[in-house]
Amino acid sequence: MPCRNLFAALPDPGQDEHFETLFATPGLRIERIASHLHASPPGFWYDQPADEWVMLARGSAELEFDDGRRQILTPGDWLVIPAGCRHRVAATGPDTVWLAIHTAG
């Protein structure tokens, strides 16, 4: 089995965030998210049917929740976003990399 690096072969900055599934089995999906000065579109909210564990591996980011709370993330910060918790990406810095783990709903 090959060893890979979370920061290798990152896509060039583009108009949208880049989502890449690194590993998946029934009930679990691990993905790398590459962001470069991205934010969710105005009025857009993620409202996922399952829990998500997310960690900021590199860069900077701010999440916004529909209850008005905002969470600034620095490298190494992680949190669990429960199923049904509406949230959005308020901002990211350049060359930001996330690691997200999604469970089955």
Side-chain angles (χ1 to χ4, degrees):
M1 68 186 89
C3 177
R4 297 184 56 198
N5 186 291
L6 186 66
F7 303 112
L10 288 169
D12 291 331
Q15 188 172 7
D16 297 316
E17 290 183 298
H18 183 271
F19 297 82
E20 178 185 359
T21 297
L22 303 178
F23 178 78
T25 63
L28 180 77
R29 179 171 46 92
I30 300 173
E31 69 183 357
R32 175 179 75 176
I33 306 165
S35 307
H36 184 80
L37 304 173
H38 291 103
S40 298
F44 174 84
W45 295 93
Y46 290 101
D47 189 356
Q48 300 168 162
D51 295 339
E52 176 185 9
W53 178 94
V54 64
M55 181 187 80
L56 189 71
R58 180 168 81 185
S60 61
E62 183 174 5
L63 296 176
E64 180 181 1
F65 298 88
D66 71 347
D67 63 3
R69 184 173 54 97
R70 294 174 83 95
Q71 179 67 56
I72 294 173
L73 300 171
T74 59
D77 290 344
W78 62 271
L79 66 144
V80 174
I81 302 172
C85 179
R86 289 172 34 108
H87 64 285
R88 62 188 305 277
V89 177
T92 64
D95 303 319
T96 296
V97 177
W98 311 73
L99 187 63
I101 301 174
H102 301 270
T103 62

